[in-house]
Amino acid sequence: NVTLLTNGDIVLVFEGQGVDNTSVYYEYGTFDNDEVSWHTNGIPYDNGLQPSIAALDNGRSLKTHKSESDGHLWLSTNKVVDPHLIWRIGETEKYEPHNSNNPVMLQLDNGYILSMFDSNQSNGTWNRMGEVSSNGQEVEWTT
């Protein structure tokens, strides 16, 4: 999964391969003319599966992934603190306690966050709405 941050930089998140297949990584790059220059090479940021990332305002991002052990979905808000490093703001938060799959996040025009995921319990797709808190460290869910 890849996203374009508000400053024009690109962040890619992906699962590890082989013995690292329960780790999630990110890479950070910049777009110049018609070429992407990658500044990092697979930086691990957590254990998990099915990572996804969404751009937020002010150069922040929202990363989410499925737990490698119990199927819960986790998220964290992040910001670029160095030209090529992304750090978590606050704590990683469990936002869906059931066995779910394929989490995707999107910030809507009004500042709300839309989360969509597949539920193993009902064989359906679910969504939740929320807002990033005033301190920028977590999502306050409204539905």
Side-chain angles (χ1 to χ4, degrees):
N1 189 311
V2 66
T3 194
L4 181 65
L5 299 177
T6 54
N7 64 0
D9 293 337
I10 298 169
V11 180
L12 168 72
V13 294
F14 58 94
E15 290 181 18
Q17 300 291 317
V19 295
D20 292 329
N21 67 346
T22 59
S23 296
V24 286
Y25 296 82
Y26 78 87
E27 291 189 14
Y28 184 84
T30 52
F31 182 74
D32 187 22
N33 293 323
D34 62 349
E35 186 175 312
V36 175
S37 298
W38 294 104
H39 303 291
T40 59
N41 187 16
I43 296 175
Y45 71 88
D46 213 331
N47 291 326
L49 304 166
Q50 302 171 352
S52 181
I53 188 165
L56 301 176
D57 297 332
N58 303 320
R60 294 176 295 153
S61 62
L62 187 62
K63 291 190 283 189
T64 184
H65 66 274
K66 177 180 176 171
S67 168
E68 78 284 4
S69 60
D70 59 19
H72 299 209
L73 300 182
W74 294 83
L75 67 86
S76 63
T77 54
N78 308 270
K79 68 177 179 178
V80 177
V81 294
D82 185 312
H84 313 306
L85 293 175
I86 297 173
W87 289 89
R88 183 172 49 232
I89 306 170
E91 298 297 319
T92 302
E93 171 188 350
K94 178 171 49 175
Y95 75 96
E96 176 55 39
H98 302 102
N99 191 7
S100 300
N101 293 299
N102 305 313
V104 177
M105 296 278 184
L106 175 67
Q107 183 176 26
L108 305 175
D109 289 340
N110 60 7
Y112 278 88
I113 304 298
L114 172 64
S115 169
M116 298 189 75
F117 51 90
D118 297 332
S119 172
N120 282 348
Q121 292 182 330
S122 66
N123 293 329
T125 300
W126 291 83
N127 67 72
R128 292 183 78 181
M129 295 285 293
E131 293 180 273
V132 176
S133 65
S134 58
N135 65 11
Q137 294 184 1
E138 62 264 338
V139 174
E140 296 170 345
W141 296 106
T142 56
T143 59

